[in-house]
Amino acid sequence: MYSISPKRSRLASAILILGILFIAANLRGPITGIGPVLDQVISSFQLSASQAGMLTTLPLLAFAIASPVATTLAKKQGLEISLFIALILIGLGLSSRLIDSVVVLYIGTAVIGVGIAIGNVLLPSLIKRDFPHKVAVMTSAYVLAMGIFAGSYSALIIPLAAYQNIGWQIALACFGLVTLFSAIIWLPQLKLHTKPTKDLAQSLTPGKIWHHALAWQITLCLGLNSFFTYVLIAWLPNILMEGGHDAQQAGVLHGTYQLASAVPGIILIPLLSKLKDQRFLALSLAILGFICALGLLYLPDFAFIWSTTLGFCSGAIFILGLSYISLRTHHSGQAASLSGMAQCVGYLLAAIGPMFAGLLHSQFDSWAPVLWLCAIASLLCGVFGYLGGRNITLNEHL
């Protein structure tokens, strides 16, 4: 029924690597690309700010619901077919943006979220299985691919929407061309039908992990980072426009924010195993994030510096938080339980963020409270990152 991972020729390996990078290219841009044109979406459908925030919240809720389903799908269909299904779902969701209906926009966005959730869960398992000695390099490469495509898309979407007045709907649907190309590149892998790695295939049994202070410290570090990251992914262009930037500049800065968030993968992933503890690194990054969030509010002329540095800090803390899951646990079962706990709380906080930020803006008619909220979330993230960064581990019996 299943085949094990086969020995590949250099050409087959190159096609597989290209396929992985193009799947990664689809795992952020279809969600984050909506940020720069959110004002146009609000105007088209007469949405409130919190309703518009739902367009970022829906995929995150889909992540929470669909992530466990991804493992079941991989067990039944194999990794290769499951990843192809993920691309099909993302493509369908992007195509639905051509339909002039707010209900279809919401449904399509949720479908994109399900597709991305499957990709997010299964792609690391594929890398771990097929590139066991190059996990750090491949992970860095695919995180960078996510950042490059998402950042470039955000930077280009305003001029694309303005080109011959094609509008925001066609501009958003255009990412489907990347998805279509990715699916074509992935076709050679469909003849395989391989299982996910054992760490993914095992069922997550949290046990007593939810009662452990260190588990909560790691979970809240990741969760608060996700909270302010997704607030900025949803609303940064609008925040920048209130600070005096035009829509095109705001789109470019939104793109640099995302690109910068991918850069720490190149630097941090190879270095983390050499650090005895990560306390001061986590706290320093969080304090820098706090300063940059307030910099956007009080010194908006330097938005390029603040956006780029915020993106870098967000990406670096995310990688640190993920590294804690393996560094603070004794075995793969414990790591899987902690990962499940962190994902559950993290997705919940991330999903609340954009809607709550939209509500705050509606209440105060200003982005200042939202930027203060991001700054405080970054600072709290640093406190929990400092505690989680101590050179200790969970109890072995958990």
Side-chain angles (χ1 to χ4, degrees):
M1 182 176 170
Y2 287 105
S3 61
I4 59 165
S5 180
K7 295 285 181 186
R8 291 182 173 87
S9 67
R10 283 190 176 183
L11 178 61
S13 294
I15 292 168
L16 175 62
I17 291 167
L18 193 64
I20 288 168
L21 295 179
F22 268 94
I23 288 174
N26 289 273
L27 299 184
R28 188 181 290 169
I31 297 172
T32 61
I34 208 160
V37 293
L38 203 50
D39 256 5
Q40 296 177 39
V41 178
I42 290 168
S43 177
S44 291
F45 295 121
Q46 301 298 304
L47 302 177
S48 68
S50 53
Q51 285 172 330
M54 271 296 286
L55 291 169
T56 307
T57 294
L58 268 174
L60 296 166
L61 294 174
F63 289 177
I65 295 162
S67 292
V69 176
T71 309
T72 308
L73 183 67
K75 285 178 187 174
K76 289 184 177 178
Q77 300 297 331
L79 280 171
E80 293 79 8
I81 291 171
S82 299
L83 285 164
F84 188 74
I85 290 168
L87 289 174
I88 297 297
L89 290 171
I90 294 166
L92 286 171
L94 286 165
S95 303
S96 74
R97 289 174 169 174
L98 293 169
I99 299 167
D100 193 24
S101 160
V102 70
V103 175
V104 173
L105 178 63
Y106 281 128
I107 293 168
T109 302
V111 170
I112 288 169
V114 173
I116 290 176
I118 294 168
N120 276 337
V121 172
L122 300 185
L123 204 57
S125 185
L126 184 83
I127 288 169
K128 191 171 182 177
R129 188 200 65 199
D130 288 356
F131 302 94
H133 305 299
K134 294 180 180 176
V135 171
V137 175
M138 286 299 297
T139 303
S140 299
Y142 99 72
V143 168
L144 193 59
M146 283 166 65
I148 289 169
F149 276 85
S152 304
Y153 188 44
S154 286
L156 292 171
I157 196 160
I158 292 289
L160 186 60
Y163 179 70
Q164 295 187 349
N165 293 316
I166 66 169
W168 65 266
Q169 287 175 281
I170 294 174
L172 281 176
C174 276
F175 200 94
L177 296 173
V178 175
T179 311
L180 177 62
F181 183 73
S182 307
I184 292 166
I185 290 285
W186 195 248
L187 285 174
Q189 311 307 325
L190 297 185
K191 62 177 182 277
L192 302 171
H193 196 234
T194 54
K195 288 183 182 181
T197 49
K198 285 181 184 178
D199 63 321
L200 185 70
Q202 67 185 340
S203 58
L204 300 183
T205 49
K208 296 178 183 176
I209 206 153
W210 287 77
H211 302 289
H212 202 287
L214 180 60
W216 274 107
Q217 288 153 12
I218 293 166
T219 295
L220 288 171
C221 172
L222 276 165
L224 287 162
N225 183 62
S226 296
F227 177 87
F228 79 76
T229 297
Y230 277 94
V231 167
L232 290 170
I233 280 171
W235 294 114
L236 183 59
N238 298 64
I239 291 166
L240 292 167
M241 285 188 277
E242 186 175 272
H245 297 270
D246 65 35
Q248 192 162 331
Q249 288 172 329
V252 170
L253 290 169
H254 190 247
T256 59
Y257 168 79
Q258 291 177 79
L259 188 55
S261 72
V263 172
I266 307 167
I267 304 162
L268 279 183
I269 290 174
L271 290 178
L272 278 173
S273 57
K274 296 173 185 174
L275 291 174
K276 286 193 175 178
D277 77 45
Q278 300 78 26
R279 291 176 297 170
F280 292 103
L281 180 58
L283 191 58
S284 303
L285 288 164
I287 290 168
L288 194 55
F290 172 84
I291 293 165
C292 291
L294 295 183
L296 282 171
L297 177 58
Y298 295 110
L299 293 167
D301 289 349
F302 299 97
F304 176 78
I305 294 168
W306 309 133
S307 301
T308 307
T309 312
L310 258 176
F312 182 88
C313 292
S314 163
I317 293 169
F318 179 66
I319 288 166
L320 265 181
L322 288 181
S323 74
Y324 289 171
I325 290 170
S326 54
L327 292 171
R328 306 290 171 253
T329 52
H330 291 275
H331 50 80
S332 62
Q334 202 178 64
S337 294
L338 180 55
S339 178
M341 177 182 173
Q343 281 185 60
C344 175
V345 176
Y347 286 143
L348 181 63
L349 284 170
I352 291 166
M355 278 186 70
F356 184 61
L359 203 62
L360 266 184
H361 178 260
S362 297
Q363 191 71 34
F364 293 95
D365 198 27
S366 165
W367 290 110
V370 174
L371 285 170
W372 268 103
L373 180 71
C374 289
I376 291 164
S378 180
L379 212 53
L380 286 171
C381 176
V383 172
F384 291 115
Y386 179 90
L387 294 168
R390 293 168 296 161
N391 189 19
I392 55 173
T393 53
L394 291 164
N395 297 337
E396 200 161 356
H397 67 274
L398 286 175

